[in-house]
Amino acid sequence: MSKSFTLPLLAALPVLLASCGNDLDRYSRTTYSSYEQCLIANRVLIDRGLSNPCVYRTGGGYYGPYVLIAGGISRYVGYDRLGKVSGAGLTYDSKRGSYGNFKAPVSRGGFMSGSRSGSFGG
């Protein structure tokens, strides 16, 4: 006679971890050949309050902001003055046509090392 048991909490762990909102793995970034090109492409986000949307990419070029699009909501995360992921982000609700702010996900240790941000003046 064998005994069986289930571990519902353990089985739910991946879902729980994915819902924590602090993982940038689900976000994507666009690469631009120049800082000016990155700024032009992200002008609307800058005008809506996203600070430092562009960061130098080790090896050349620039990364645009982190972007996650899910369920009609777009989330954008820029960079702080040191080139690390910013603690604040910008949202766009395509159904309502409105922008808002959110607390951005935190990067894992060393995730953004080797980056530096440029400065821009609107």
Side-chain angles (χ1 to χ4, degrees):
M1 179 168 168
S2 66
K3 293 181 180 180
S4 65
F5 59 93
T6 60
L7 298 173
L9 183 59
L10 188 58
L13 191 57
V15 174
L16 180 64
L17 291 174
S19 68
C20 289
N22 63 352
D23 191 357
L24 287 171
D25 292 344
R26 298 179 299 152
Y27 285 69
S28 62
R29 294 190 287 183
T30 300
T31 303
Y32 300 92
S33 59
S34 72
Y35 187 67
E36 292 73 23
Q37 185 182 45
C38 182
L39 290 179
I40 291 167
N42 293 288
R43 175 56 55 196
V44 171
L45 302 177
I46 295 166
D47 292 344
R48 294 295 181 163
L50 185 66
S51 298
N52 294 324
C54 306
V55 68
Y56 177 75
R57 178 177 166 231
T58 303
Y62 289 82
Y63 283 123
Y66 282 93
V67 180
L68 175 66
I69 302 171
I73 305 290
S74 301
R75 292 177 176 247
Y76 303 94
V77 182
Y79 308 92
D80 66 15
R81 299 251 178 234
L82 299 175
K84 306 287 184 197
V85 177
S86 175
L90 181 71
T91 62
Y92 175 69
D93 185 332
S94 63
K95 294 174 185 171
R96 294 182 178 169
S98 62
Y99 287 86
N101 298 304
F102 76 105
K103 184 174 178 176
V106 178
S107 68
R108 294 176 181 163
F111 185 77
M112 294 297 297
S113 63
S115 297
R116 62 180 168 84
S117 64
S119 60
F120 65 94

